[in-house]
Amino acid sequence: MNKQLFGQSSGKAFHAYPKGDFDLESGNIKKARKPKNLLLDPIKMLKTIGNRIHYYSKIHPLLVLLISLSFGVAILIMLSMYTSSFQMNVRRKSDASSSSYPYENLRNLVMVAGHSVYMSSSCGKVDGEESWFLETYQKHPGQAATFLMHIKEGIQIAAKDERALLLFSGGETRKDAGPQSEAQSYWAVAESQGWFGKQEDVRWRALTEEHARDSFENLLFSVCRFRELTGTYPHNVTVVSYDFKEERFAHLHRLAIGFPEARFFYFGTPASSTSKEAAMKGESAVRAQFHEDPYGCVGSLHRKKLTRDPFHRSIPYPNGCPELKGMFSYCGVVPYPGKLPWTQ
C-alpha cells in the first residue's frame, strides 16, 4: 500500500468541473460568453453611450443637464485657448517679418549733403533764393540753383545704380526756419520736380537722414542710416556736394571713418559765380579746422555744431549701427584705432 503524504502531488492536475459553467440540475456545460470589445465596433459603442445617456437623463435629468453644460464649457475654454495660442503665433511671425530691414537688397550709398532749408509752401520757385532760408554768406544770385543741381545729380547717379540707396542728409539747422530739416526740404523739392523723370525708378529708394549738423556728420550719420535701413554697411559710398569740398569729404572725412579709398566716390558741382571766391576762402578755413579736429568734437567746430541744433534734437545714433559705437565716443587727432565693419 502506497502512502502519500499530505501536500504531495500525484503529478496530474485534477479538475473538479469541466471548463465553462456547469449546470448541476441538468448536467450540461454552458459555454462562457466572450466579452464584447466595443472599441472594435465604434458604431455599437456610440449607440451604447447614447442609450446610457438617454437612460440616465430620464432618471436624473438635472444631473445630466449639469454634466452636459460643464462639458460644453470645457470645450469652449479649450477652443478659446487654442485660438489665442494660434493668434499669438501668427502675431509673432508677423512681428518677425516686420522687423526685417526694408531695403536689405540695396548695397551702395549715394548721399546728397544739405546746405539749406526750403521755405516755400507752394514748391513753385525751387531755384529762387527767396524760397530758401539762407545765411548771410549764402545770399548770392544763383545760390538756390546750386542746391537744385545737387538734388538732380544725386537722383541721376542713383538711377544708374539699381542697388543704390539715395539719402538726403541734413538736420534742423536753422532756428528761424522752424523745425524743418534740410534733408526733408531736399526730398520735398525732388518730389515737386517729379524726380527729374526718374520717379518710378528712384523715389521708392530715396530717404532722409535728418540729424547731421556738419559735413562730417553728413557722411558718418548717412552710413549709420544706411545700416538702419539695409542691415549692412554700404559697399560703395558716393557723396554729392560742391566741387571745392572734395578734399574735405574724400580725404579728411573718409580717412576719419576709415572707409576704403577705392570704394569712395565724390561728385562735385560748382558754386555760383558770384559766391565762388568767398566760398573758396571759407572752405580753406574750415578744412584747416578739420585737420586739427577730424571728428569736430572740440573747439570751434564743436561750438558750430551746437548752434546748428537750435531745437536740441536727440541724436539717435549709434542706435541702428552698433558696430560704430566706439567711433561716436572717440575724440582724437589721429584716425579712430578701433575695428570697423569695412576693414575686417
Side-chain angles (χ1 to χ4, degrees):
M1 176 175 169
N2 292 333
K3 294 182 180 180
Q4 186 174 357
L5 297 177
F6 178 77
Q8 288 182 340
S9 175
S10 63
K12 292 184 180 180
F14 173 75
H15 299 283
Y17 299 100
K19 292 182 179 179
D21 296 332
F22 183 76
D23 191 340
L24 293 175
E25 294 181 0
S26 63
N28 296 326
I29 300 174
K30 295 181 179 180
K31 294 183 178 180
R33 294 181 179 181
K34 296 181 179 180
K36 295 182 179 180
N37 192 349
L38 293 179
L39 295 177
L40 299 178
D41 194 341
I43 296 177
K44 290 184 178 180
M45 181 179 68
L46 291 175
K47 286 182 179 180
T48 302
I49 294 174
N51 292 334
R52 289 181 180 178
I53 292 175
H54 181 69
Y55 173 75
Y56 285 114
S57 65
K58 288 183 177 181
I59 300 177
H60 303 290
L62 184 59
L63 178 62
V64 171
L65 178 61
L66 290 175
I67 292 174
S68 299
L69 287 175
S70 300
F71 184 72
V73 170
I75 293 222
L76 287 176
I77 293 174
M78 291 176 65
L79 287 174
S80 177
M81 292 175 63
Y82 174 79
T83 303
S84 300
S85 176
F86 177 77
Q87 290 177 346
M88 186 176 295
N89 289 334
V90 171
R91 192 178 297 113
R92 286 175 180 173
K93 290 180 180 179
S94 176
D95 292 341
S97 62
S98 64
S99 66
S100 62
Y101 298 98
Y103 296 89
E104 60 185 1
N105 293 328
L106 303 181
R107 65 193 304 266
N108 299 320
L109 168 64
V110 177
M111 185 272 285
V112 177
H115 295 89
S116 186
V117 176
Y118 185 70
M119 299 294 293
S120 177
S121 59
S122 63
C123 285
K125 299 179 179 179
V126 294
D127 59 349
E129 278 69 43
E130 67 278 5
S131 298
W132 295 80
F133 186 89
L134 301 177
E135 300 289 357
T136 303
Y137 66 88
Q138 293 179 309
K139 293 180 179 180
H140 298 280
Q143 187 75 5
T146 63
F147 305 153
L148 194 64
M149 190 180 300
H150 292 158
I151 298 171
K152 182 178 180 180
E153 293 298 338
I155 293 172
Q156 291 181 344
I157 292 171
K160 296 176 182 177
D161 182 1
E162 62 183 11
R163 301 193 68 183
L165 175 68
L166 174 62
L167 288 180
F168 298 113
S169 175
E172 299 171 359
T173 56
R174 271 75 168 174
K175 183 178 181 179
D176 293 338
Q180 303 181 74
S181 70
E182 297 172 355
Q184 192 61 46
S185 294
Y186 279 38
W187 196 97
V189 170
E191 181 80 353
S192 72
Q193 300 301 300
W195 298 85
F196 299 96
K198 306 294 183 180
Q199 179 168 337
E200 292 186 3
D201 183 38
V202 176
R203 186 181 186 272
W204 70 272
R205 50 190 173 98
L207 287 92
T208 59
E209 185 294 301
E210 303 186 48
H211 296 278
R213 298 164 295 179
D214 62 15
S215 57
F216 175 69
E217 289 186 346
N218 284 138
L219 178 59
L220 178 61
F221 288 6
S222 292
V223 169
C224 280
R225 182 77 173 123
F226 187 95
R227 167 70 170 81
E228 282 184 328
L229 293 166
T230 67
T232 60
Y233 290 95
H235 181 75
N236 295 325
V237 172
T238 299
V239 174
V240 179
S241 188
Y242 289 110
D243 53 8
F244 60 82
K245 291 187 177 183
E246 182 172 1
E247 184 178 347
R248 190 204 303 191
F249 274 103
H251 180 68
L252 296 177
H253 297 339
R254 181 196 61 77
L255 189 62
I257 70 168
F259 199 83
E261 184 176 7
R263 291 157 49 191
F264 189 94
F265 305 93
Y266 189 87
F267 189 92
T269 64
S272 64
S273 57
T274 56
S275 65
K276 186 174 181 179
E277 184 177 351
M280 294 293 291
K281 184 177 180 179
E283 174 61 20
S284 178
V286 173
R287 197 162 55 237
Q289 292 173 335
F290 273 111
H291 268 293
E292 297 177 358
D293 182 16
Y295 299 90
C297 51
V298 295
S300 59
L301 290 176
H302 178 66
R303 290 192 295 271
K304 186 186 293 184
K305 281 197 289 191
L306 295 179
T307 62
R308 288 182 175 176
D309 183 23
F311 304 107
H312 290 200
R313 297 285 292 180
S314 297
I315 305 297
Y317 316 111
N319 293 334
C321 55
E323 297 84 359
L324 300 181
K325 183 178 181 180
M327 179 176 289
F328 275 83
S329 59
Y330 178 72
C331 184
V333 295
V334 297
Y336 173 66
K339 294 182 179 179
L340 295 169
W342 39 81
T343 58
Q344 295 179 7

